[in-house]
Amino acid sequence: MEELDCEPAVTWIPGVNSKKKQMCFDWGPGEMLLCETSFNQTGKSEKVPSCPFIYIIRKDVDVYSQILRKLFNESHGIFVGLQKIEEELSGKSRKAQLVRVSKNYRSVIRACMEEMHQVAIAAKDPASGRQFSSQVSILSAMELIWNLCEILFIEVAPAGPLLLHLLDWVRLHVCEVDSLSADVLGGDNPSKHENFWDLVTVLVLQGRLDEARQMLAKEADANPSCAGMCRVLGDLMRTMPILSPGNTQTLTELELKWQHWREECERHLQDNTFAANPRLESLCKIMLGDEAALLEQKELLSNWYHFLVTRLLYSNPTVKPIDLHFYAQSSLDMFLGGESNPEPLDNILMAAFEFDIHQVIKECSIALSNWWFVAHLTDLLDHCRLLQSHNLYFGSNMREFLLLEYASGLFAHHSLWQLGVDYFDYCPELGRVSLELHIERIPLNTEQKALKVLRICEQRQMTEQVKSICKILAMKAVRNNRLGSALSWSIRAKDAAFATLVSDRFLRDYCERGCFSDLDLIDNLGSAMMLSDRLTFLGKYREFHRLYGEKRFGDAASLLLSLMTSQIAPRSFWMTLLTDALPLLEQKQVIFSAEQTYELMRCLEDLASGRPECGEPDAQRLQDDDIETTKVEMLRLALARNLARAIIREGSLEGS
């Protein structure tokens, strides 16, 4: 039966008074909760007349860390590369590639951890130093868990090599021995250093027996009375059988040799070879796997999993993976001794030793502060085909669910959202829908950012989102009176209604200023002018001006008349068109034929008769009417004169 998740703990927000209904909230693209309260941060009880405080609670605060952003950026490239591994690769080649990918992830974590450590050391105020140190601890735990998962689930080390990997794991993550070694060996007489025997003991606990022998040789040189004992213990260290990576001996051979070696160690202990030196005797007991002797070194072991690996090294070096969890649980119980409860890290490591992948992921999801770790580890394990059977109750599998959560967090950041796009791309079930929802909420602060978003949408044929973004940008441009940009965006969105609106603004602007802005755009509309009738009219009207400027009066006159008679031109613009015809009517040569002139006269009379009558016009209305009346009279006169000239000209042409 599937274990049910617990209900989340209630979070009390200071200053909220539910009786006064002061609290409200809203979820944004980064899962941001805004709470309106009357909480006064100064601690005074009286309320001051001011705007209520707004507290912003962010779920994914780690995306705002400069150092962790490097972790997100570097791992993005590894993630994308992993998705492109060809499925045909199988067997050892595929496994080797996956192990390499895992090591790449760990190297990114470690580089980030080292940089964070340097920042913590250089921090000027104690609070910042503690914050960075805490982050270092989290990153260290992340690499510790990932490394163990790599050994158990990805490398799938068999008995023999398994212990070698676990030894490397402990040596990498329990690294105090290096600083201790530098401190001891940095003195003039290392064997007289107060931490000399601690160093020798730690080296033995970590299976670094060659280095321990060298230290014993220094003790033998400095103290001839125990030189013989040091030499005997050194020989035991030298002859301890260990299955090295290049060794071809079988596990059975190793177990036999190890048993003989262990019997020799026991013989020396029974013969009281080291009785005169309790420190050397203690080291021999450790090498025999004596649990009491090991537990005496709790401080040097520092944690239960170090104790586990040391215990296995000296009691069962050929441990099988299936037996690990028994040793792990007993080591945890012995090391803690009922003194304290296991920490979240202990539970995660224990789940890994039990080969419970899903529990590892669940515990990490609860314990860690962001989704980066579980998303990338789960994706890698999924590529190892270890999670194929685990589907969630709402339809998506675990890998996809965690990637969606991680990508959603990236979209809360002003620049990391670009990484989130690729994570959504590799979620086959819900990735497309999630990307569409998130990309619509990206604040388009600059045109450069808008173009990035638009390019992403166009590459993925997200038609509705392209239209929506273009319309938003077009509206912004209209509000800023950048008509050319607005028209360009509306054309790109193929939004006929908005293109009509912007074209009207262009025409109105022309009527007020007497000239067009953004001539290059209008001159190069091309087939885009067919998007709407008003845009067609705008393009053709600009063409009329170009023809007039080139003194192609006949073509200009025909185009002007066709704009009016084809009903493309808005009726409100007819007077402007007729006024534009005046210079053509006054030319020395006859431009408009008699038939064309009749058409212009009909349009003028239609326009004059269709003007609404006003009851009580104000002074401005009277002035406007006077201007319109004057224009109409001038046009009638010009049309009449042109008609007469056209009739005479056409009559003379017919007579000849």
Side-chain angles (χ1 to χ4, degrees):
M1 183 175 178
E2 187 177 356
E3 182 184 352
L4 296 176
D5 291 329
C6 299
E7 287 294 322
V10 175
T11 302
W12 294 99
I13 302 171
V16 173
N17 187 342
S18 57
K19 294 180 181 178
K20 294 184 179 180
K21 298 181 180 177
Q22 290 175 314
M23 186 175 70
C24 63
F25 64 91
D26 185 33
W27 290 107
E31 296 178 306
M32 189 181 296
L33 176 64
L34 284 80
C35 301
E36 181 181 355
T37 79
S38 58
F39 178 65
N40 192 346
Q41 213 167 14
T42 59
K44 297 178 181 179
S45 57
E46 69 273 8
K47 294 182 181 179
V48 292
S50 62
C51 177
F53 291 94
I54 299 292
Y55 293 92
I56 301 174
I57 304 170
R58 289 190 177 95
K59 182 178 179 182
D60 294 302
V61 292
D62 289 341
V63 298
Y64 297 94
S65 167
Q66 291 290 333
I67 299 172
L68 290 180
R69 281 176 61 185
K70 295 181 180 179
L71 174 69
F72 302 146
N73 279 305
E74 293 292 331
S75 58
H76 166 261
I78 300 171
F79 170 81
V80 173
L82 175 59
Q83 311 313 307
K84 295 178 180 177
I85 288 180
E86 295 186 16
E87 292 298 325
E88 291 79 18
L89 292 173
S90 59
K92 292 183 179 180
S93 61
R94 180 178 178 81
K95 177 181 172 182
Q97 273 194 315
L98 293 171
V99 171
R100 194 180 309 118
V101 168
S102 180
K103 291 183 186 297
N104 289 341
Y105 275 127
R106 286 201 295 115
S107 67
V108 171
I109 298 173
R110 181 158 286 273
C112 190
M113 180 175 65
E114 290 173 358
E115 184 176 350
M116 190 78 77
H117 179 64
Q118 295 302 319
V119 172
I121 294 172
K124 295 181 180 178
D125 61 294
S128 297
R130 286 193 297 272
Q131 183 181 355
F132 288 124
S133 296
S134 173
Q135 195 67 60
V136 169
S137 301
I138 293 170
L139 288 169
S140 177
M142 285 165 60
E143 200 211 343
L144 178 76
I145 299 164
W146 192 299
N147 196 351
L148 183 59
C149 290
E150 178 185 301
I151 294 167
L152 300 179
F153 304 134
I154 304 170
E155 188 88 44
V156 198
L162 173 61
L163 184 63
L164 294 179
H165 286 299
L166 290 176
L167 275 172
D168 290 338
W169 175 61
V170 164
R171 290 168 185 169
L172 180 64
H173 296 284
V174 183
C175 50
E176 292 83 359
V177 64
D178 295 321
S179 57
L180 183 63
S181 177
D183 184 36
V184 171
L185 295 176
D188 295 333
N189 193 348
S191 63
K192 299 300 182 184
H193 195 282
E194 60 180 349
N195 294 323
F196 174 79
W197 286 106
D198 283 349
L199 174 60
V200 177
T201 305
V202 171
L203 290 172
V204 173
L205 291 173
Q206 289 197 0
R208 296 163 68 167
L209 298 182
D210 289 340
E211 296 171 64
R213 282 173 53 224
Q214 293 172 11
M215 302 304 294
L216 288 178
K218 294 182 185 295
E219 171 65 12
D221 293 341
N223 192 356
S225 62
C226 67
M229 289 182 286
C230 288
R231 187 168 52 255
V232 171
L233 190 61
D235 287 341
L236 289 175
M237 292 178 180
R238 179 177 54 81
T239 57
M240 179 182 175
I242 297 177
L243 184 65
S244 58
N247 201 330
T248 57
Q249 64 182 330
T250 64
L251 287 181
T252 305
E253 292 172 339
L254 177 67
E255 287 173 349
L256 285 172
K257 289 181 180 178
W258 184 80
Q259 195 61 42
H260 288 308
W261 173 84
R262 181 183 173 84
E263 289 171 358
E264 187 177 355
C265 291
E266 286 178 339
R267 181 175 57 78
H268 280 293
L269 204 59
Q270 290 170 359
D271 293 346
N272 296 320
T273 304
F274 310 110
N277 192 321
R279 295 183 185 276
L280 294 176
E281 188 176 40
S282 175
L283 291 175
C284 187
K285 287 180 179 179
I286 290 172
M287 291 164 61
L288 277 167
D290 187 304
E291 292 171 358
L294 285 171
L295 289 172
E296 286 177 4
Q297 309 299 332
K298 256 191 180 184
E299 289 187 8
L300 296 178
L301 286 166
S302 72
N303 52 63
W304 68 270
Y305 48 88
H306 188 186
F307 169 62
L308 163 67
V309 175
T310 304
R311 182 184 169 202
L312 288 173
L313 174 65
Y314 295 118
S315 63
N316 189 1
T318 57
V319 62
K320 297 176 181 177
I322 196 172
D323 297 326
L324 263 183
H325 71 281
F326 296 114
Y327 284 98
Q329 187 62 60
S330 61
S331 296
L332 176 63
D333 294 339
M334 282 191 285
F335 195 84
L336 295 182
E339 297 174 5
S340 60
N341 294 322
E343 298 288 332
L345 177 60
D346 300 330
N347 294 329
I348 294 168
L349 296 178
M350 187 57 65
F353 282 123
E354 291 172 355
F355 289 86
D356 191 342
I357 296 175
H358 303 125
Q359 188 64 24
V360 170
I361 294 168
K362 180 180 178 179
E363 294 282 352
C364 289
S365 300
I366 296 169
L368 297 176
S369 59
N370 63 67
W371 293 103
W372 179 89
F373 181 86
V374 287
H376 289 85
L377 178 61
T378 305
D379 174 65
L380 181 57
L381 294 176
D382 187 72
H383 277 80
C384 296
R385 298 172 183 148
L386 297 173
L387 300 171
Q388 304 299 325
S389 61
H390 192 78
N391 289 324
L392 303 180
Y393 68 90
F394 47 80
S396 178
N397 60 40
M398 183 182 286
R399 170 194 174 272
E400 181 159 326
F401 170 76
L402 294 171
L403 287 177
L404 291 173
E405 289 293 324
Y406 173 64
S408 298
L410 293 177
F411 264 79
H413 194 270
H414 63 87
S415 63
L416 291 177
W417 64 268
Q418 298 172 78
L419 306 181
V421 173
D422 285 326
Y423 289 94
F424 281 134
D425 280 345
Y426 290 107
C427 293
E429 291 185 37
L430 302 174
R432 170 82 178 200
V433 176
S434 299
L435 177 59
E436 289 173 354
L437 291 172
H438 279 80
I439 213 156
E440 289 176 348
R441 297 169 182 165
I442 296 175
L444 305 176
N445 306 321
T446 63
E447 193 158 317
Q448 183 182 9
K449 188 174 182 180
L451 287 170
K452 284 183 181 178
V453 177
L454 205 56
R455 185 165 59 251
I456 288 168
C457 294
E458 288 175 339
Q459 287 171 350
R460 291 156 180 79
Q461 289 83 44
M462 295 163 62
T463 311
E464 291 302 318
Q465 283 67 33
V466 169
K467 286 184 179 180
S468 176
I469 293 166
C470 289
K471 193 165 186 176
I472 290 168
L473 294 169
M475 292 175 73
K476 281 186 178 180
V478 167
R479 283 196 294 269
N480 295 324
N481 205 32
R482 294 168 54 231
L483 298 181
S485 179
L487 184 59
S488 176
W489 286 118
S490 59
I491 291 172
R492 190 165 182 173
K494 295 181 174 58
D495 191 329
F498 207 85
T500 299
L501 176 66
V502 178
S503 300
D504 281 336
R505 285 287 299 271
F506 261 108
L507 296 173
R508 194 188 318 156
D509 193 47
Y510 170 78
C511 291
E512 293 171 358
R513 296 170 51 193
C515 62
F516 282 112
S517 58
D518 300 286
L519 285 177
D520 287 343
L521 175 64
I522 301 173
D523 285 341
N524 294 285
L525 285 173
S527 60
M529 73 169 64
M530 305 305 293
L531 185 61
S532 76
D533 288 346
R534 199 59 45 84
L535 188 56
T536 303
F537 169 72
L538 178 64
K540 291 296 182 182
Y541 185 55
R542 169 57 192 153
E543 187 179 346
F544 160 76
H545 279 276
R546 185 173 55 78
L547 293 172
Y548 186 88
E550 294 172 359
K551 299 188 183 304
R552 295 166 59 186
F553 298 132
D555 293 337
S558 299
L559 180 56
L560 184 69
L561 186 63
S562 68
L563 290 176
M564 296 185 70
T565 55
S566 63
Q567 304 296 318
I568 291 178
R571 191 177 181 84
S572 60
F573 210 73
W574 278 16
M575 181 56 74
T576 303
L577 293 175
L578 289 167
T579 305
D580 286 335
L582 266 176
L584 295 173
L585 293 169
E586 298 296 334
Q587 292 289 327
K588 290 182 180 179
Q589 65 186 63
V590 178
I591 305 299
F592 289 102
S593 65
E595 184 179 353
Q596 289 176 325
T597 307
Y598 281 127
E599 287 290 337
L600 290 174
M601 293 173 78
R602 182 183 60 78
C603 291
L604 178 60
E605 294 309 317
D606 285 350
L607 187 62
S609 62
R611 280 184 295 169
E613 300 202 4
C614 303
E616 293 290 334
D618 56 15
Q620 184 63 43
R621 171 69 66 183
L622 287 170
Q623 185 179 353
D624 291 344
D625 283 350
D626 288 342
I627 294 172
E628 290 295 312
T629 302
T630 304
K631 283 183 180 179
V632 170
E633 292 303 322
M634 288 175 62
L635 284 166
R636 281 175 177 159
L637 179 60
L639 287 166
R641 290 171 59 188
N642 187 81
L643 180 60
R645 293 165 59 201
I647 291 172
I648 293 171
R649 180 175 176 276
E650 290 170 12
S652 62
L653 287 173
E654 288 177 5
S656 63

